[in-house]
Structure formats: structure tokens, C-alpha cells
Amino acid sequence: MNQQWPRVAQLDRHSEPPRRLASIGFEGAAAGPETTAEVADLLRILSRRRRAILATLALFVVPALLYSFLATPLYTAVSQILVDPRDRQAVTNDMNASAVAPDGGVAQAESQVRVIESDTVLLRAIAEVGLEADPEFGSPPDGLARRLLSVLPGLSPAPRDATDSTSKARALRNLRRRLAVKRADKVFVIDIVFTATSPEKAARIVNAIAKAYLADQAEARFEAAKRASAELAGRLDTLRADVNAAETRLETFKAQHGLIASSGQLVGEQQLTDHNARLVAARNRIAETKSRLQSLREARGQILDPGATPEAIGSAVIERLRAQYAELTSREAELRTQLGPSHPAMVAIRTQRAEVQRLIGAETGRIIQAAEVEYRRAVENERLLAASLDRLQAQSVERGQANVQLRELEREVEASRSVYNTFLLRSREIGEQGRVDPTSARVITWARPPDERSWPLRLLIIGAALAGGLGGGAGLALTREYLRPTLLSRRQAESLLDAPVIATLVWPPALLGRAGRARAAFLLDSLLERREHGRGPASLGLLVSATEGDTADGRAVIELLADVAQMRGDRVLVVLARPGHGFLDVLRGEEGLERAGREDPGTGVMRIGIGEGRRLGRDAAERDGLRRALADIRRCFDLVLFEGGALSESPWHGPLAAAIDQHLAVARPGTTLQADLAELGKAADALRLPVSGALLLESRKGGR
């Protein structure tokens, strides 16, 4: 395409270049970076920084995988012991109380936890299992360092026998590290948990600790009983001496005062008691014999048959005579009806009956005489007993003070003997208690070799690594975003530039299809429509600027807009921000447009550099010449595209404000820093080229 380009008025080539604007603070510029973000913005941040997140995730997951598959597996065995605070009542007088306070059971169970963790129990378990010689616990392994020390002179390691205490301490320390003794709330069951590299070893050590605890409890009770028995035995000697001294004093006092005892009672007191009882019995005998004698005398003087008295009836002789008398009376009655009264048989019967009656009377008299003799004897016996009792009472009164002292000595002997017997019995009981274990602690679950390892838990470790990696990566991404916030959304772009977002294009340009080019054409139409509402020629002077990190995107947008405008038949001039002879030289009249620029033979798009920037428009005449030169160029093109680049770095567009109708800022969400975008807005305001609108470039797969 051959075309005559206009000549522009020559300007002052000795003008000084303007200063950089990067260090200048501008008042009234757009708002600074915005640190607030919405949920969608957070997702954009995480998506954009996915590489950093994945790298952080790899830093967590790879070591976790290596550790999960290469770490030495550990196995955990558990044994359970029930500690009942109420001990079994093996004997009645147990030296250990079986009853506990309402809150004492929990304290006792917690105390047993500490007992299991004590050195005494653990050292007993170590000795039983032989952990001192186990390389995993007590014995140091014969590694490379030990073998090297053995061959170096003067540095040979100590022999095994010399390191027994060290091995025991090392075994105890390693055992504690892998041991966990715990008790759940509100129960008296203690769990003994141990971890080892072998399931059989873990179970064996746990069971050894449980056995050691039970043995330690039994031994502790035996030792306590033994000490108590020894203390009581020492006290028994003193108590025995006290009893002997008290008994000696008692016997001496009895001998001095003639207080002889028989069957545990003094002879004098026993005689007094006996005489008193015998006197009472004698008086009762007198009353009884007197009453009998009186009744016999009264019966004898009566008309009644004497044989009818109770005493006569009770006599065997009278009983026999009465039987004969009754028989004779009966025969007399029989013979009276057959024989006469004078018959010899009747006379004989009457004679026999009279003789029997005489014998009964004689026997009755003898009984009365015997009763009188018995009565006199009872009276005499009572008199003698009363006299003897009076004599004994007199002697008892004389020995009263001695008896008081005697009873006091007896009480002392009894008290000493009681204390001695109590201590002796308790000593024997405690001695036997040492051989009986009344504790109710027992193992309710013996440990068995576990089937599955307890560590490393691969799923847990990998899951934690995934969570930590994702969380750490996301936190790192959000932190970096907070320290250097980037453009996240359309709203932030409008807030930072104080201008609307005109369009959004899919980027990079290679992904633009027909719809993308149509949107670019719509963008040109929108900018042209904005220009036509103002003053000036119908052509459009468009400044396309970008931040310092997005200058390549700004140049690509210019090429896209030039390509779209050329396809519509527009004449396009592209002013690129590159040094050398260029557009500013044309405006000063030092170069021709066709010589300084380069026309694309295929599309007809004219491209020219900005040229060397020396000060333009120093006075009014120069400014008028500049405006006329720009107007001449505008009449030759429908679209003039100016590459703004980083405005703070290239402030040459200030003098070209007359040729610029619209200012389009290009930004890429997720890449463009908010601070850079705000700086672009400040530079545009300082150059009096405020941003008319923004173009957002959304990255897609295949972008940078």
C-alpha cells in the first residue's frame, strides 16, 4: 500500500527529557491495594498458586511416605489390672483397713498407677525379662562405632561387666519412654500399655510388669507385717516383765496378810459365804421340823384315826399296818353275816385288828418322838452356825483394809495381763498375715502378642501429611497473596483504577476464537462510541497501558486490536514504546512518517516507535505546532494505538494527550499486582491521561 504521509512541523530538538515519575507521589490518585477478598477470590488465589501448594504438599507427603514405609514397625500390647480399694478380709483384725473414704478409692487407684511406674516395679520387670542385655533397651549394639573403638589403641570400649549399672539405667530409661500407665475416669481398672518392635516382646514385657506389680504388693505387705511383728515382739518383753512384777507384788501381799485363795477366791470370804448359806439352810430346817412336829401332835390328840396324818401315810410300816387293818375289817364284815359276835373267829379277828391299831399308834408315837429329836438338832445346829458366822464376820471386818489393797493389786495384775495377752495375740496374727495376701488387685486381662502394628499408621500419617501439606500450602499461598496482593476480581480492578471494566478476554491470544475477536471488536466499538460523543475527528487515539510486569500483555492487546481493526477495513497506526527514531521525531519534523515507520505489506498496519523523548511543547507556539502535527496524522488513520507500557517508566505520552482519546489499562487477574495497578492509575492521573476503562485478561490452559 503506497500512501503519502503528512509532514509535521519541526519542534525543538534540544528539549530536555522529562524526569521519571516512579518516585513522585501524586495526590488524588486511585485507591491503594485492597486486602479484602471474597470466597471466589480465595479460590482464584489457590488455583493460581497451585504449583506452590503442590510443592508444599510434596514436601509433606514425600517424607511421610518414606517414613511410613521405611520406619521400623512398632507393636503395642495392653494388660489390665483391677485395683479394688476394699481389700479382702482375710482375717478379722487385719492391719490394713478394708473400708475407704468416699473419695479415697480414686486416690488409691491413682497411687497404684504411680507404683506401677516406680523404679522398684520396673527394675523387677527388667530383671525378669532380661532387658539389660537387649540391644533395643539396655545393651548398646555392637555397631560400627563400637567396632572402630575396639581397634583403636587407648579407646577400646568398656567391658560388658563394667557397664551393668549403665545398662540398667539405659534399660529403665528406654522402658519408661515406651510405657504408658493410665486409668479411665470413674473406674479402678489400670491399663498398662507398652510398645516394642516385636509383638511377642511387647506382650512379654507388659505381662512382666503386671507380675512385678503384684509381687511388689505382696512383698510390701509381707515386709510391713514383718516390721510390725518385730516391733510388737520388742514391746512384749516389757509387758511380760510388767505382768510378772504385778503378780509378784500380789502374792507377796497375800502371804504377808494371810490371804489364802482357793479356786480364785480367798478362803475367808469363801468360808463366810458358805457359813451364811448353811445358816440360812439351818433356819429353814428348824422351821420345817417345827411345823412337822406341830402337825403330828395335833393329829395325835384328835379323835380321827392317827394313821390319817400325812406323815403316817408316808411311813412304809404304817402303810403295811393299815393294809392289814383294812383286810381284817373286811373279813370281820364278811364273817358277821355268817357267824355270831361271840364266835371265836370273830373274837380272833377283833383281837388282831386291835393289835394292828395298837401298833399303828405306837409307830405314830415313835414318829413324833423322832420329829422332836430332829427339831432339837436343827435348833442346836443353827445356834452353832450363827456363832461361827459371827466370828467369821468379825475376822472379815478386821481384814477389810487388806482386802481393799488386795483388790487393787488384783486389778493391776488383770490389766497388765490383758494388755500383754492382747499384744501377744496381735503379734501372732500379724505374723500369720504376712503369709496371707489380702489385696484384691488382680490381672483381668493378660497381654497377648498384637496382630497389627500400632506405628507407623500409614493412613494417619499420610492423611496428616496431606492435611498439613494442603493447609500449609494454602496458608503460604494466602500469606504471599497478603504480602503482595494481586488483582483478584473485576470489582478490585474498578476500585483501583477508578474506571469501569469494559471487557474480559480469554488469554493468551492463541486461544482466542471467533467469539474472542468479536469481543475485541465490541471493545473497539465501545471506545469509538465514547470518543464520538466528544469533540475532535472521528478517528480514535487509544493509549493501551499495562503494569511493569504486564507490558508484553499490553503489546499483545495492541496487536490484537490492530488486527481486528484492519479486518474491518480501518487504517491503523501503532506507536510502540521502543527507542530510536520514531513518532516523536516525526512530530518534530526530523523524520518522515513513511521513513520512520514500517508498514506491514500484508495488512497495511503502520508500526512506528515512540522515538527519543526530549521535551515537547515548551511554549505556546510549539504546542500549537504539536497539535497541528497530531491532527494531520489523525486524519490519515482511523485508529491510532499508543503502547503505554509502564507509564511511570515512560512518561512521554503527556505531550501527546491531544492525540489520545481513550486510555485502556490492561491487567491480568491473579498475576497483576494491586500495587502496580494502583501505581499505573497514579501515573495516568499525573500525566492527565486518566484511565477510561480496563481490559481483563483471563488465563486459560496454555497460558503462562
Side-chain angles (χ1 to χ4, degrees):
M1 177 183 297
N2 296 325
Q3 186 175 358
Q4 297 295 327
W5 305 108
R7 300 288 295 179
V8 296
Q10 183 175 358
L11 300 178
D12 186 5
R13 64 181 64 191
H14 300 289
S15 301
E16 298 178 359
R19 295 176 298 172
R20 295 170 59 90
L21 301 179
S23 60
I24 301 177
F26 305 107
E27 297 181 358
E34 184 176 350
T35 57
T36 60
E38 300 177 353
V39 176
D41 298 335
L42 296 178
L43 296 178
R44 294 189 188 97
I45 294 173
L46 299 179
S47 175
R48 180 174 56 84
R49 298 186 182 272
R50 58 184 176 274
R51 294 183 179 178
I53 296 176
L54 293 176
T56 306
L57 180 62
L59 291 177
F60 278 78
V61 173
V62 171
L65 288 173
L66 294 176
Y67 177 78
S68 299
F69 287 95
L70 299 180
T72 302
L74 299 177
Y75 298 87
T76 300
V78 180
S79 179
Q80 292 181 329
I81 297 179
L82 174 61
V83 179
D84 193 344
R86 301 170 299 175
D87 291 338
R88 292 183 290 108
Q89 194 72 16
V91 292
T92 304
N93 296 323
D94 194 354
M95 63 179 297
N96 299 291
S98 59
V100 295
D103 57 345
V106 176
Q108 183 175 353
E110 288 294 335
S111 300
Q112 297 308 309
V113 171
R114 299 296 182 268
V115 171
I116 296 175
E117 295 176 342
S118 64
D119 293 349
T120 304
V121 175
L122 297 183
L123 289 175
R124 186 190 294 267
I126 289 173
E128 179 180 352
V129 183
L131 295 183
E132 297 179 6
D134 192 336
E136 185 179 354
F137 292 94
S139 177
D142 292 331
L144 179 61
R146 188 177 182 86
R147 289 196 295 269
L148 290 177
L149 290 176
S150 62
V151 299
L152 294 178
L155 296 178
S156 58
R160 296 291 185 180
D161 297 338
T163 60
D164 287 343
S165 59
T166 305
S167 299
K168 184 180 297 184
R170 186 184 298 109
L172 181 62
R173 183 172 60 253
N174 293 332
L175 185 65
R176 286 185 182 279
R177 289 176 180 175
R178 302 188 182 186
L179 176 65
V181 182
K182 52 188 177 180
R183 182 190 65 86
D185 294 338
K186 300 181 180 180
V187 296
F188 299 115
V189 177
I190 299 176
D191 296 332
I192 304 177
V193 184
F194 189 78
T195 302
T197 57
S198 171
E200 292 78 11
K201 183 187 296 185
R204 188 168 65 254
I205 293 175
V206 168
N207 292 333
I209 294 174
K211 294 178 182 178
Y213 166 72
L214 297 179
D216 179 77
Q217 291 297 295
E219 183 177 346
R221 289 181 178 273
F222 177 77
E223 291 296 331
K226 185 177 179 180
R227 289 194 303 271
S229 179
E231 293 174 358
L232 289 178
R235 181 60 180 163
L236 282 175
D237 296 337
T238 303
L239 294 177
R240 187 182 300 109
D242 293 343
V243 172
N244 293 334
E247 290 180 347
T248 301
R249 288 193 301 269
L250 177 62
E251 296 301 327
T252 302
F253 183 82
K254 286 182 179 181
Q256 291 175 354
H257 294 81
L259 302 176
I260 302 173
S262 176
S263 300
Q265 189 176 7
L266 294 176
V267 174
E269 293 180 356
Q270 187 176 4
Q271 290 178 350
L272 184 62
T273 302
D274 292 343
H275 276 67
N276 189 27
R278 291 169 62 187
L279 180 61
V280 173
R283 288 175 179 176
N284 292 335
R285 182 63 178 170
I286 291 174
E288 181 182 353
T289 55
K290 184 177 182 181
S291 175
R292 180 183 179 188
L293 179 62
Q294 185 68 25
S295 62
L296 289 175
R297 287 176 178 176
E298 290 177 356
R300 186 176 186 180
Q302 293 178 357
I303 301 176
L304 297 175
D305 188 3
T309 61
E311 289 77 3
I313 295 174
S315 175
V317 176
I318 292 178
E319 183 68 22
R320 186 171 62 255
L321 292 175
R322 282 175 61 84
Q324 294 178 3
Y325 183 82
E327 183 180 357
L328 292 173
T329 302
S330 176
R331 290 181 61 188
E332 182 183 5
E334 291 178 355
L335 293 176
R336 187 180 292 118
T337 60
Q338 298 176 3
L339 303 175
S342 300
H343 193 279
M346 291 291 293
V347 174
I349 290 174
R350 284 196 296 271
T351 302
Q352 293 178 359
R353 190 177 66 176
E355 183 63 23
V356 171
Q357 188 174 5
R358 186 188 65 80
L359 292 175
I360 292 174
E363 183 64 22
T364 302
R366 188 185 63 80
I367 292 174
I368 292 174
Q369 186 179 4
E372 290 177 351
V373 172
E374 184 179 2
Y375 172 71
R376 287 194 298 271
R377 289 178 178 176
V379 171
E380 181 64 20
N381 186 33
E382 187 270 341
R383 185 184 64 79
L384 294 176
L385 288 175
S388 178
L389 181 62
D390 292 340
R391 186 178 63 257
L392 291 175
Q393 288 178 349
Q395 294 176 358
S396 176
V397 171
E398 293 176 359
R399 291 194 296 264
Q401 187 64 30
N403 290 334
V404 172
Q405 297 180 8
L406 177 63
R407 286 191 292 270
E408 180 66 24
L409 293 175
E410 288 178 345
R411 284 193 295 269
E412 291 181 1
V413 171
E414 185 63 26
S416 300
R417 186 181 292 114
S418 176
V419 174
Y420 174 74
N421 291 335
T422 301
F423 270 71
L424 180 61
L425 178 62
R426 189 59 176 155
S427 176
R428 297 289 179 84
E429 288 182 350
I430 292 176
E432 295 300 325
Q433 287 178 22
R435 299 177 177 85
V436 179
D437 185 12
T439 180
S440 58
R442 59 190 178 92
V443 179
I444 60 176
T445 302
W446 291 100
R448 294 180 297 177
D451 298 330
E452 299 180 356
R453 59 184 176 183
S454 60
W455 191 261
L457 300 176
R458 294 175 180 173
L459 293 179
L460 178 63
I461 294 176
I462 295 175
L466 288 173
L470 291 176
L476 179 62
L478 295 177
T479 302
R480 293 180 61 185
E481 184 66 26
Y482 178 79
L483 296 177
R484 297 190 66 191
T486 59
L487 181 64
L488 299 177
S489 63
R490 186 187 188 99
R491 176 184 58 82
Q492 288 184 352
E494 293 177 348
S495 174
L496 293 170
L497 296 174
D498 196 18
V501 175
I502 300 176
T504 302
L505 295 180
V506 178
W507 213 247
L511 299 178
L512 284 173
R514 182 177 300 176
R517 294 186 177 275
R519 181 166 295 186
F522 171 78
L523 173 63
L524 286 176
D525 293 339
S526 176
L527 295 173
L528 183 59
E529 183 179 355
R530 288 168 176 252
R531 174 68 186 109
E532 288 176 350
H533 290 168
R535 297 179 180 179
S539 62
L540 176 63
L542 178 61
L543 173 64
V544 179
S545 63
T547 62
E548 185 176 357
D550 298 330
T551 54
D553 291 337
R555 187 176 296 111
V557 169
I558 290 175
E559 295 297 333
L560 174 63
L561 295 179
D563 188 23
V564 171
Q566 185 273 333
M567 292 177 61
R568 298 194 310 181
D570 295 339
R571 294 169 298 171
V572 181
L573 174 62
V574 177
V575 181
L576 301 175
R578 60 190 181 189
H581 298 285
F583 189 72
L584 295 178
D585 299 319
V586 172
L587 293 180
R588 287 192 292 266
E590 298 174 356
E591 293 286 347
L593 186 60
E594 68 281 0
R595 182 176 177 181
R598 180 176 59 84
E599 182 178 2
D600 190 341
T603 61
V605 176
M606 174 67 71
R607 292 177 175 82
I608 188 174
I610 191 64
E612 296 181 0
R614 289 193 294 270
R615 189 173 180 181
L616 301 176
R618 178 177 298 178
D619 52 24
E622 291 178 350
R623 289 194 294 271
D624 291 342
L626 177 62
R627 282 194 294 270
R628 287 194 299 272
L630 291 174
D632 292 339
I633 294 176
R634 292 282 296 274
R635 282 192 291 269
C636 297
F637 297 95
D638 299 313
L639 177 62
V640 180
L641 297 173
F642 294 93
E643 181 185 2
L647 292 182
S648 59
E649 297 286 341
S650 303
W652 317 115
H653 302 88
L656 305 179
I660 298 175
D661 303 311
Q662 298 290 328
H663 182 185
L664 181 65
V666 177
R668 179 179 293 192
T671 302
T672 304
L673 296 177
Q674 292 188 26
D676 294 344
L677 196 61
E679 189 69 22
L680 186 149
K682 294 178 182 179
D685 292 340
L687 295 173
R688 294 181 178 83
L689 294 172
V691 178
S692 305
L695 175 64
L696 301 183
L697 306 178
E698 289 188 354
S699 300
R700 290 293 187 268
K701 185 177 180 181
R704 66 181 181 180

